[in-house]
Amino acid sequence: MGHSDAEEAGIKGSNDHVHDKAIHQTDIDGSSAVVGEIEEENKYAYDDSRKLGITGAVFLILNKMIGTGIFSTPSSIFAATGSVGISLMLWVIGGFLTFCGLSVWLEFGLAIPRSGGEKNYLEHIYRHPKYLATCVLASQMILLGFSSGNSLAFGRYILYAAGNELKDTYKARGVGVACVTFAVVLHAVVPKWGIRLFNVLGVFKVVVLLFIVFSGFAALAGRRLVEDPRNFDNAFAIEEGDGYGGGGAYEYSNALLNIVYSYKGWENANYVLGEIKDPRRTLTIAAPLAVGGVTILYVLANVAYFAAIPKSALAKSEVIVAGLFFRNIFGDSAGASVLPVFVALSNLGNVLAVSFAHARLNQELGKEGLLPGSRFWGSNKPFNSPAAALFLHWIVTIIVLLAPPPGPAYNFIVSLYTYPGAWINSFVAAGLIYLQHQKKEVWNPGWRTYLPVTIIFLLCNAFLAIVPFIPPSDGDFWGDGYPYYVFPVVGVAVLILGGIYWALWTKFWPAVRGHKLIAERIIDEEGVEVVRYRKVKVVKHG
């Protein structure tokens, strides 16, 4: 398991008393430190009514997985491939790869049933230098783990339903600010109602997708307002037409990256295991159920789209592919007014789920003493909820939402949201292979991921991490006029920034200030997690 600095220095809390006297320690590098008295103590006790059961965990995952992706990305997938059959196969492959990743995360989640997700897993695998892997992850999750994309989409679709154009405008961003603010305040002040609302919206999302699926079956039977597009005739033929086909390795990798983005969220329950009832049992039931259900719905929704939309129109529909589907099945009024409200509510559910889970990860970083003002970010005051960590998530989301000018700059940032995760997933998968085959310690978490499954997940993420560096077949530019290499370079730079932060936070600043803050984490006699912060005076020996 990951341990705090205090634990590794031998300053472990007990169940029956508190270490409140100064303690002397010697670090590995030969420096001497005096650990002072406790400066602050935070307790993390949750009533069972606040904890998620199987249903709540299913909808926590569903709400993050089902955002705008399935209502918009099918157009770009088909445009890149030019083949109906290959497009559907990529969605199936996306579901399979998601299950591979889920198996890896289940093994770690059962072994380390604590909130924080891959933070805990990286700490357990890459123990030296201490906290380097955690800081790299923190850089990605804090700087890029925002809810800006779905908040903006909420604003765009709300305005679209009111008769405005579906564009990225500051007016839409203002509505997006209201969306994420509502989600954060709800989770901070009345967390039970936040959970109830994303459960309701999770049911709603499933109903909407089922409605699209059954409408697609009706379209296959001839119930539509347009001619039969005959998209399933010779479905696996690779064609080039008006707006679709002709893509190379770069376009295929980008299509798969978009599909991975649409499935993203399968790991959401691992971030909040500390607030889940019987986490081992709940995770093994809820996660496969949610991922399996979403995979089936995604593939059938794509079949529905192809049943009612001609190829060229589908390829050029961009973010309104589901709106075009509704129009071809039910007429202009349905596509123009009903669907935007559906999608907006789906976006709200996603923002609620993401802010709920990512705030817990931010809080875990505060509990470890790894952030400036850790005692504040790790606190559960004043509502026994991670209000400060939610505020941090809100700050980053608002900056990304409002700072870039409308248009390509923002689209680039939102696309960047997914890319660094491929590197993190690769390191976690490689670490699991190491843990399963090393002999130094027992590794028997109760769930075993077969080696071929882990290797497939590792290779997939390595592919997604490396291929974006390969020039696209149609020139030197990525979408919206950016050089193709900017996208992966910025993503890798964010991870490197985490390494730089680690050096500053754990080495440079303690040397300059002469002290550092350590976090001591224990479980008291009542089973409640307690985090105690101590100031460490560092004296370097010559």
Side-chain angles (χ1 to χ4, degrees):
M1 305 288 177
H3 300 291
S4 67
D5 286 337
E7 289 174 322
E8 289 204 350
I11 311 166
K12 296 182 180 179
S14 68
N15 290 343
D16 53 4
H17 68 281
V18 176
H19 295 276
D20 55 3
K21 296 181 179 180
I23 302 174
H24 184 274
Q25 71 179 53
T26 301
D27 288 341
I28 294 174
D29 62 2
S31 63
S32 177
V34 178
V35 182
E37 296 182 358
I38 296 172
E39 295 202 338
E40 187 169 336
E41 178 177 284
N42 289 334
K43 292 189 176 183
Y44 302 88
Y46 304 102
D47 186 87
D48 278 349
S49 64
R50 271 269 307 274
K51 292 189 175 182
L52 300 175
I54 292 173
T55 301
V58 166
F59 287 125
L60 179 67
I61 297 169
L62 276 172
N63 268 302
K64 188 174 179 184
M65 291 184 73
I66 306 174
T68 55
I70 191 57
F71 302 111
S72 57
T73 54
S75 63
S76 64
I77 307 306
F78 175 69
T81 62
S83 169
V84 173
I86 292 177
S87 295
L88 293 174
M89 284 304 300
L90 284 177
W91 284 96
V92 173
I93 290 170
F96 171 71
L97 294 174
T98 300
F99 267 107
C100 292
L102 178 63
S103 183
V104 172
W105 257 245
L106 279 174
E107 183 161 344
F108 276 113
L110 268 61
I112 313 173
R114 284 171 39 195
S115 295
E118 52 263 42
K119 168 195 170 292
N120 301 318
Y121 317 151
L122 291 169
E123 285 178 357
H124 186 84
I125 302 162
Y126 305 101
R127 303 178 188 182
H128 305 290
K130 186 172 175 60
Y131 288 136
L132 174 60
T134 310
C135 289
V136 171
L137 175 69
S139 180
Q140 180 222 351
M141 297 301 290
I142 292 177
L143 298 179
L144 300 177
F146 42 74
S147 298
S148 309
N150 277 280
S151 297
L152 174 61
F154 176 85
R156 292 173 67 184
Y157 277 99
I158 286 293
L159 294 179
Y160 186 56
N164 296 275
E165 291 188 29
L166 191 64
K167 288 185 176 181
D168 175 8
T169 63
Y170 279 111
K171 189 176 182 181
R173 294 184 185 199
V175 179
V177 169
C179 172
V180 69
T181 302
F182 168 76
V184 165
V185 170
L186 187 67
H187 283 318
V189 179
V190 280
K192 290 182 182 179
W193 282 100
I195 293 170
R196 289 169 183 166
L197 182 56
F198 71 59
N199 283 346
V200 170
L201 291 175
V203 173
F204 173 79
K205 289 183 181 189
V206 172
V207 170
V208 170
L209 282 178
L210 285 173
F211 184 67
I212 290 175
V213 168
F214 284 109
S215 298
F217 291 155
L220 288 171
R223 301 286 184 176
R224 56 183 173 269
L225 301 180
V226 295
E227 293 184 7
D228 185 355
R230 306 185 70 84
N231 287 333
F232 296 104
D233 295 348
N234 198 15
F236 282 90
I238 300 176
E239 304 173 347
E240 289 190 40
D242 185 13
Y244 61 90
Y250 183 90
E251 286 76 10
Y252 271 72
S253 69
N254 205 39
L256 188 57
L257 191 66
N258 286 334
I259 289 176
V260 169
Y261 174 79
S262 297
Y263 278 102
K264 191 169 176 60
W266 50 269
E267 75 285 21
N268 214 29
N270 288 65
Y271 293 133
V272 298
L273 285 180
E275 297 181 46
I276 288 181
K277 300 173 186 175
D278 192 359
R280 289 184 172 89
R281 176 178 178 271
T282 299
L283 189 63
T284 53
I285 296 174
L289 186 61
V291 172
V294 169
T295 301
I296 293 170
L297 288 172
Y298 276 8
V299 173
L300 292 179
N302 274 274
V303 171
Y305 295 148
F306 284 118
I309 306 174
K311 292 178 180 178
S312 181
L314 176 66
K316 294 187 290 186
S317 61
E318 297 181 349
V319 297
I320 55 173
V321 57
L324 186 58
F325 170 80
F326 270 64
R327 190 187 70 188
N328 289 357
I329 299 291
F330 302 106
D332 289 335
S333 59
S337 58
V338 177
L339 178 79
V341 175
F342 287 175
V343 178
L345 290 174
S346 178
N347 295 138
L348 175 60
N350 181 277
V351 173
L352 283 164
V354 171
S355 57
F356 181 88
H358 281 216
R360 268 69 185 173
L361 179 56
N362 292 344
Q363 185 181 50
E364 287 296 313
L365 296 169
K367 288 180 183 180
E368 295 286 3
L370 291 176
L371 301 177
S374 285
R375 287 171 287 187
F376 174 70
W377 302 119
S379 171
N380 246 11
K381 301 172 183 177
F383 306 106
N384 196 29
S385 67
L390 282 161
F391 179 57
L392 177 59
H393 179 78
W394 181 86
I395 291 172
V396 176
T397 296
I398 294 301
I399 290 173
V400 176
L401 191 56
L402 298 180
Y410 184 81
N411 295 335
F412 170 78
I413 291 174
V414 172
S415 297
L416 187 63
Y417 173 84
T418 308
Y419 175 75
W423 287 96
I424 299 296
N425 292 347
S426 298
F427 281 109
V428 173
L432 181 60
I433 295 172
Y434 165 76
L435 287 174
Q436 288 180 341
H437 294 87
Q438 54 82 35
K439 306 297 183 183
K440 292 185 293 185
E441 62 178 279
V442 176
W443 177 256
N444 187 24
W447 177 283
R448 185 76 172 184
T449 301
Y450 292 113
L451 181 60
V453 172
T454 310
I455 290 175
I456 289 171
F457 184 65
L458 172 61
L459 292 178
C460 168
N461 282 281
F463 172 80
L464 294 175
I466 294 170
V467 169
F469 285 97
I470 301 173
S473 58
D474 58 351
D476 295 331
F477 290 92
W478 178 72
D480 299 317
Y482 285 95
Y484 74 91
Y485 52 81
V486 172
F487 177 77
V489 165
V490 173
V492 172
V494 168
L495 301 179
I496 294 174
L497 183 63
I500 296 172
Y501 175 81
W502 171 83
L504 291 173
W505 187 249
T506 64
K507 304 296 180 183
F508 179 74
W509 284 115
V512 170
R513 295 181 296 185
H515 70 269
K516 61 182 178 179
L517 190 72
I518 63 171
E520 173 188 354
R521 300 176 65 160
I522 67 166
I523 303 297
D524 69 12
E525 65 275 6
E526 297 178 355
V528 174
E529 183 184 18
V530 180
V531 177
R532 295 165 181 155
Y533 295 94
R534 299 177 186 267
K535 186 175 288 186
V536 178
K537 184 178 180 181
V538 179
V539 181
K540 193 75 175 180
H541 294 297

